[in-house]
Amino acid sequence: MRERGTVSRSRPARDVGRTRPRRGVLAIAGAALQQAVAYRATTALGIALTFVWVIIQYYLWRSVYAARPVVGGFDFETMRTYVVLAYGLNALVGWRIASEMMSSIRTGAVTLDVLRPIDYRTAQLARAAGWGVVEGALSLLVSIVVGLLLLRISPPAGPVELVLFAVSVVLAFVTKALLVFLGSLLMFWTTNGLGVMWSLQALIQVLSGGVVPLSLLPSAVGAVVEVLPFRGVVWTPVGIYLGLGGLGRGVALLGLQALWVCVLWFAAGRAWRRAFAAVEVQGG
Amino acid sequence: MGDPARAEQPVRRLARIYVRLRVLQLRSALEYRGDFWLSILGAVLQQLTGVVFAVVLFTSVPDVLGWGPWEVALLFGLVMLPAGLVELLSDGPWSLRTTVNSGSFDRVLLRPLPPALQVAAEHFTVHGLGNALLGAVLVVAGLTGADAWRWWTVPFLVLTVVAGTVLVTAVTFLANMVVFWEPSATSTFPVFVVLTRDFAKFPLDLYPPALQVVLSSLPPFAFTSCFPALLLLDRGGSLRWLGLATPLVAALVALLAAVAWRAALRRYEGAGH
Amino acid sequence: MADVVVADALTKQFRRPDKTPGVRGAVRHLVRPSFSHVEALRGVSLHVAEGESVAYIGPNGAGKSTTVKLLTGVLAPTSGRVRVCGLDPYTDRTANARNISVVFGQRTQLWWDIAVLESLRLLADIYSVPAASYRSTMEELVDVLDLGPLLAVPARQLSLGQRMRCDLAAALLHSPRVFFLDEPTIGLDVSVKARFRDLVGRMHRERGLTVLLTSHDLGDIEQLCPRVVVIDRGLVAYDGAYARLAAEAGHRRRVVVTLADGLPEGSTVLSDLFAGEGVDVAGAGASWTVRIDDPATTPGAVIARLAAGVALADVRIEEPSAEAVIRQVYEGGVPGAALSATVEQDRGA
């Protein structure tokens, strides 16, 4: 592969001792990153596109808070911060990564990936990481900058929280990428990528706290959603950033987030083998 | 040439062919039954995220600037119903980008039918069905919940929804026509233009004056929901009478789209020589 | 007979934006756009009589597709005049569409997911074909194109050859007077190509259809089109009979001989045999070639001369291949003066 060549050439010499798969993973991520940079105009426009909802929510909450100081335990500043960060975190794994995964499965590029000496899950995650570095980091950056300058969001609760938040963001990325990966496997049974993607997006958005803080949900629903893996995408990192419930709770949440990443990782492996076997049997 | 088919009223002939094309495409969509339902599910779920947001909002606060849950439901419905109808009836402009760039737009110019009609009927987006149904439910629920039915509500609604559908169709055409001038354009621009209609799912006085002006002019989505809702809900002072202007605004945008469409056809150069 | 296709001094300029790559270039273009003009056609004239069958050929980028687009009303000419069946195709697009039909190779006009018969019915409706003539045309087309078993099948399930037959039916359903075929046999395998040419030829003869064909496939031209128009860099380079093009502009026939006793290179032993007779002799050792430049000289006479002068081990006659003829025209090897004289002759015939 051309991309692999260029990327491995640019790697420093200390890579030589590493195992082959590791180099392959970096190569895949690097190739995706280059692609994302090549499409930077589209990427930037895509980020602006989803910003519409941030603006709507900002003004909406502004009117709400004009009449009362606190809603569901959040004051206006916390809510503003929440809206902006939720948007940025959601964009970490954007529609482009999902559609790339789906099209690689649909067009059969998947079989090429399978032939590589790299675990398929890992390959897809690496590709997502490549895109995510550009698409996600850019939107996170935009939202934090715009947030701090224009919407005056609050800074992290403290230096420790900032570090925990950074770790949590990485875990959030892996969580969402794995969820999208699991959803993409449906492409083995349907050609309707758009339908799958929209359903998946909607599900993750609502259950992760991307639409409203989970604490605002009715308590019965909230109790269930609080322990599902989806919260790891938005609710956990934002909670840590805001210092909700103190440091101890933050560390515990991080543990739960990590636990779910492990579970999803194994689930993804199993589901992938099943899906692939099923298709092979069908002769597709 | 005196063949009898030619004697038929041109408008009736075009309407009949348009309906045939639609029915045919609905049947094509039904060929892939699993996809059909998945599309509808995906669209409804996606729209439901907005609904979930509104529901949760109104379980925490009784109203926003005096707008309660039913009034906002009406706004949501008035945005989604025309949007769904447009997806169902004339979603073709979205494929202009590929047909113009690949040169298969030639075929459109080779048939004895108006090009715009062919483009409008080009493909069929099943998920429009989900959006239109959800929109209709929200409109009815909103009006019932707000206890706002009056003798003129139904005719006014019909007029507004028809005008709104025309308006959104014209905006969709305009936004996608960019490809005739800028062949390398991505679909992001038209998506962005059309997505600004989400602003109109909430009362207009939420936004700062500048944004209000934009929403009533470029593209004027406020006329599909915000202004008619004022009239339907009997509020908003004299601003409500702008609700009556929706058909006029729709006609103006349609006229603009027609002029731009003519220019676009003149601009078309096809692919390859 | 009246000319159904009339094109006089057609020119067509395309405007291409001059853009430097990257965001800066895009922005600069937005502020102060600059364009360069590409002249696709520089004055093409073409007259086709009703019932004629004409091949329109030329290298890529010569202006073939542009001409077809001007004649079918897809594009408007920059200057010049077009009439097809007496109508201006661009301003009278809808009326013109009923008189003509266009088949693009590899692009179907059938609807992908529905049965062929339904596509055909819908097209009949779009073209306002009266019920009676729909029935009789369909009967004929189903018979000639052998569509019977295909009518109930959705287009996506057809093989390329089957789809081509159905596309022909779709194109001819409204009984067009002028039939444009744009690279119709691209991607078809040999037997399907042969069948396709056969069918088009038959439609041309039986329905008095005027056919205008662009193709890279010389088989199409040889079998279907007695008249050839060659376009090169936006100008007509040749317009006349295909046979004449081959005879006049092509590589001449050549007699290739193997001598029993070799001759050194540059030897005039063989050329001395043909003093003053339009031939060209070249070769070395045992292998020599005699190119016949004068159409009046026959290969037989050449062989007789050779046999009389030297001992021959082997003799072979090489006919000019169609490919070679066209290639020579493309490469600008048309002896212009000699040919333009024949153009009028052929047009009159």
Side-chain angles (χ1 to χ4, degrees):
Chain A
M1 285 202 71
R2 182 174 49 87
E3 291 91 339
R4 182 179 293 196
T6 42
V7 171
S8 35
R9 220 185 317 121
S10 67
R11 299 303 308 168
R14 67 187 148 82
D15 261 7
V16 170
R18 287 196 176 152
T19 51
R20 225 181 113 70
R22 180 71 61 87
R23 279 223 324 267
V25 166
L26 284 177
I28 293 173
L33 192 143
Q34 286 176 7
Q35 228 177 326
V37 171
Y39 286 108
R40 58 187 178 275
T42 316
T43 310
L45 271 172
I47 290 169
L49 204 129
T50 34
F51 216 72
V52 167
W53 262 93
V54 175
I55 302 171
I56 293 177
Q57 288 192 343
Y58 174 80
Y59 286 118
L60 198 62
W61 287 118
R62 198 184 62 165
S63 302
V64 168
Y65 281 103
R68 51 192 76 72
V70 175
V71 177
F74 280 41
D75 60 12
F76 185 34
E77 188 179 330
T78 315
M79 188 58 88
R80 280 203 305 259
T81 313
Y82 186 89
V83 166
V84 173
L85 287 182
Y87 156 78
L89 284 164
N90 244 318
L92 268 183
V93 177
W95 58 271
R96 198 174 260 280
I97 294 173
S99 69
E100 285 272 314
M101 270 193 201
M102 285 180 187
S103 71
S104 101
I105 288 173
R106 198 188 48 215
T107 57
V110 103
T111 35
L112 268 178
D113 288 334
V114 172
L115 290 176
R116 291 196 189 130
I118 301 166
D119 172 55
Y120 183 69
R121 269 173 312 188
T122 322
Q124 289 294 347
L125 279 189
R127 185 169 299 160
W131 282 103
V133 165
V134 177
E135 199 177 29
L138 203 61
S139 57
L140 200 61
L141 203 72
V142 166
S143 46
I144 289 180
V145 169
V146 170
L148 285 174
L149 293 181
L150 295 178
L151 308 181
R152 289 166 291 112
I153 64 173
S154 31
V160 185
E161 277 87 352
L162 182 61
V163 174
L164 291 183
F165 173 68
V167 177
S168 186
V169 167
V170 174
L171 288 175
F173 169 81
V174 180
T175 308
K176 188 166 179 194
L178 283 170
L179 288 171
V180 169
F181 175 78
L182 276 164
S184 305
L185 292 181
L186 287 174
M187 292 306 294
F188 278 106
W189 290 279
T190 173
T191 51
N192 189 342
L194 203 63
V196 172
M197 200 144 72
W198 283 6
S199 307
L200 203 64
Q201 253 177 13
L203 219 60
I204 295 178
Q205 281 251 322
V206 171
L207 297 179
S208 69
V211 176
V212 276
L214 292 184
S215 58
L216 291 188
L217 291 179
S219 53
V221 185
V224 178
V225 178
E226 281 282 335
V227 292
L228 289 180
F230 300 98
R231 65 164 297 161
V233 178
V234 172
W235 186 227
T236 301
V238 179
I240 292 174
Y241 180 95
L242 293 171
L244 299 181
L247 259 183
R249 193 177 145 79
V251 174
L253 286 179
L254 209 58
L256 179 67
Q257 206 187 2
L259 186 71
W260 268 120
V261 166
C262 294
V263 172
L264 287 175
W265 174 258
F266 286 111
R270 268 194 82 101
W272 158 248
R273 276 190 296 278
R274 279 228 175 154
F276 198 64
V279 172
E280 273 183 325
V281 170
Q282 285 167 18
Chain B
M1 284 185 222
D3 63 61
R6 217 52 102 75
E8 189 186 0
Q9 286 284 317
V11 177
R12 267 189 53 203
R13 168 176 167 261
L14 294 181
R16 190 169 45 78
I17 289 176
Y18 177 76
V19 170
R20 274 192 78 167
L21 282 167
R22 290 282 78 169
V23 170
L24 184 137
Q25 254 143 13
L26 173 65
R27 281 183 34 212
S28 294
L30 280 168
E31 287 267 303
Y32 307 92
R33 204 165 295 266
D35 285 5
F36 182 86
W37 291 113
L38 196 58
S39 279
I40 293 182
L41 177 76
V44 168
L45 278 180
Q46 195 165 55
Q47 294 301 326
L48 273 180
T49 58
V51 176
V52 166
F53 174 75
V55 168
V56 172
L57 177 75
F58 285 111
T59 54
S60 309
V61 296
D63 70 298
V64 179
L65 295 176
W67 291 70
W70 299 116
E71 286 83 3
V72 171
L74 176 65
L75 286 176
F76 265 69
L78 283 177
V79 170
M80 285 167 64
L81 184 52
L85 288 176
V86 169
E87 283 173 323
L88 218 50
L89 297 176
S90 60
D91 210 31
W94 291 101
S95 52
L96 274 178
R97 195 165 58 91
T98 37
T99 52
V100 166
N101 278 326
S102 71
S104 52
F105 190 71
D106 287 358
R107 181 54 77 192
V108 166
L109 299 175
L110 289 171
R111 288 200 171 127
L113 287 177
L117 180 95
Q118 293 180 67
V119 169
E122 194 146 292
H123 70 123
F124 181 88
T125 319
V126 188
H127 55 243
L129 208 60
N131 284 343
L133 279 175
L134 191 58
V137 168
L138 286 173
V139 167
V140 172
L143 284 171
T144 310
D147 196 17
W149 292 99
R150 261 152 306 163
W151 66 266
W152 49 266
T153 303
V154 172
F156 178 72
L157 262 183
V158 171
L159 190 70
T160 302
V161 170
V162 169
T165 308
V166 171
L167 193 152
V168 177
T169 300
V171 171
T172 311
F173 260 95
L174 277 167
N176 280 289
M177 263 183 241
V178 174
V179 69
F180 285 97
W181 285 270
E182 190 53 58
S184 58
T186 63
S187 61
T188 315
F189 171 73
V191 169
F192 180 76
V193 170
V194 169
L195 265 195
T196 55
R197 71 174 174 227
D198 278 353
F199 282 112
K201 286 179 178 170
F202 295 95
L204 205 57
D205 37 2
L206 216 61
Y207 308 112
L211 194 53
Q212 289 189 27
V213 171
V214 169
L215 286 177
S216 346
S217 55
L218 290 165
F221 285 130
F223 282 93
T224 66
S225 60
C226 301
F227 296 129
L230 290 179
L231 196 62
L232 282 165
L233 298 170
D234 193 22
R235 59 192 301 160
S238 55
L239 215 56
R240 82 182 71 178
W241 300 114
L242 279 175
L244 287 174
T246 306
L248 184 71
V249 173
L252 279 175
V253 180
L255 188 71
L256 185 67
V259 171
W261 182 244
R262 279 170 172 269
L265 290 185
R266 271 197 305 277
R267 189 77 191 79
Y268 179 67
E269 292 191 341
H273 312 310
Chain C
M1 215 180 285
D3 289 339
V4 282
V5 175
V6 178
D8 288 322
L10 287 186
T11 68
K12 178 70 187 172
Q13 277 188 353
F14 290 106
R15 212 170 62 147
R16 288 275 160 273
D18 301 322
K19 274 193 206 172
T20 38
V23 179
R24 275 216 349 245
V27 169
R28 192 180 309 152
H29 181 76
L30 216 63
V31 179
R32 193 148 47 95
S34 86
F35 297 94
S36 52
H37 293 269
V38 181
E39 270 193 294
L41 295 183
R42 301 186 291 158
V44 165
S45 297
L46 180 68
H47 293 237
V48 180
E50 178 119 49
E52 232 186 325
S53 182
V54 179
Y56 194 65
I57 61 177
N60 284 327
K64 275 180 306 183
S65 306
T66 306
T67 313
V68 171
K69 282 174 188 170
L70 294 180
L71 295 180
T72 52
V74 170
L75 300 179
T78 306
S79 73
R81 176 172 168 272
V82 193
R83 289 290 179 274
V84 173
C85 304
L87 297 172
D88 179 335
Y90 188 76
T91 52
D92 269 330
R93 184 146 49 202
T94 312
N96 180 58
R98 291 173 202 271
N99 292 332
I100 65 164
S101 199
V102 190
V103 164
F104 297 104
Q106 292 193 312
R107 260 194 237 156
T108 182
Q109 62 160 327
L110 302 166
W111 282 266
W112 206 234
D113 289 313
I114 58 162
V116 171
L117 181 63
E118 288 193 61
S119 279
L120 295 178
R121 275 203 192 124
L122 183 58
L123 281 170
D125 198 2
I126 287 175
Y127 282 91
S128 322
V129 179
S133 70
Y134 170 76
R135 269 193 303 277
S136 63
T137 315
M138 268 301 272
E139 222 165 88
E140 184 194 345
L141 289 171
V142 168
D143 180 44
V144 176
L145 299 167
D146 192 19
L147 297 180
L150 306 180
L151 289 177
V153 182
R156 72 182 132 90
Q157 290 172 12
L158 298 174
S159 73
L160 204 53
Q162 290 172 328
R163 216 188 67 202
M164 204 69 229
R165 266 147 62 200
C166 295
D167 257 312
L168 267 184
L172 297 172
L173 197 57
H174 63 284
S175 307
R177 287 170 68 195
V178 188
F179 194 17
F180 294 90
L181 296 141
D182 196 4
E183 302 282 357
T185 58
I186 265 186
L188 298 181
D189 66 45
V190 181
S191 65
V192 178
K193 262 185 199 172
R195 175 117 194 254
F196 176 81
R197 288 170 191 151
D198 208 47
L199 291 171
V200 173
R202 203 163 149 191
M203 288 305 181
H204 164 64
R205 286 189 305 274
E206 288 176 6
R207 314 186 112 219
L209 212 55
T210 308
V211 174
L212 210 131
L213 170 107
T214 76
S215 183
H216 273 111
D217 192 310
L218 293 152
D220 293 349
I221 300 159
E222 268 176 328
Q223 280 192 28
L224 290 173
C225 305
R227 179 177 158 205
V228 174
V229 176
V230 179
I231 182 164
D232 191 21
R233 278 157 282 174
L235 287 171
V236 173
Y238 173 79
D239 184 347
Y242 174 74
R244 190 151 220 131
L245 179 72
E248 291 266 348
H251 286 217
R252 280 46 169 182
R253 280 181 292 189
R254 301 193 303 178
V255 176
V256 180
V257 293
T258 309
L259 305 179
D261 307 300
L263 289 167
E265 194 175 345
S267 158
T268 56
V269 174
L270 294 186
S271 48
D272 288 346
L273 296 172
F274 300 99
E277 280 189 54
V279 300
D280 183 71
V281 182
S287 172
W288 288 77
T289 303
V290 181
R291 199 182 75 210
I292 306 170
D293 290 340
D294 184 351
T297 311
T298 66
V302 170
I303 294 166
R305 282 286 168 92
L306 286 168
V310 291
L312 300 175
D314 188 32
V315 178
R316 186 158 44 91
I317 302 168
E318 284 186 352
E319 292 284 336
S321 77
E323 279 89 352
V325 172
I326 302 298
R327 200 177 312 123
Q328 190 171 341
V329 174
Y330 289 172
E331 283 163 6
V334 191
L339 279 168
S340 31
T342 66
V343 169
E344 286 315 307
Q345 243 177 310
D346 284 317
R347 295 267 315 120

